[in-house]
Amino acid sequence: QPGVNGSARHIMIPHAYASPNWPLRLLAESGDGRDVAAAGSKGLVLLDTKTGKWRFFGDVSHEREFVATGLAWLDGGVVAVSARL
């Protein structure tokens, strides 16, 4: 499984997220390497590497109000420390 046990892999962050939220500031991978969370200047996106599907905020106005200052995976879910604008 790529990315597990110190190996590297490349992940393409969707342009629809990366472009308005550049620069990307945080990245966290789940312990099993299946899920990835990424945060830019605003918002957060999640990738399920098994399906290749990305999850975004459902409402762009919520994304604009969310600034992640820390990311971690605990018990199968992502924990995002945030500052709300």
Side-chain angles (χ1 to χ4, degrees):
Q1 202 174 17
V4 176
N5 298 324
S7 64
R9 66 174 149 184
H10 291 188
I11 295 174
M12 297 298 294
I13 306 293
H15 181 74
Y17 174 77
S19 180
N21 296 300
W22 194 258
L24 294 177
R25 300 175 334 120
L26 302 169
L27 185 73
E29 183 178 54
S30 63
D32 63 4
R34 179 177 171 157
D35 298 298
V36 175
S41 60
K42 305 258 174 63
L44 172 73
V45 290
L46 304 173
L47 170 65
D48 180 329
T49 62
K50 189 161 182 118
T51 65
K53 292 189 178 188
W54 287 93
R55 290 180 283 166
F56 298 81
F57 273 83
D59 183 332
V60 174
S61 66
H62 292 161
E63 180 176 282
R64 289 186 193 127
E65 295 175 354
F66 183 90
V67 177
T69 57
L71 293 175
W73 286 90
L74 299 172
D75 296 327
V78 68
V79 174
V81 177
S82 69
R84 190 162 184 199
L85 301 176

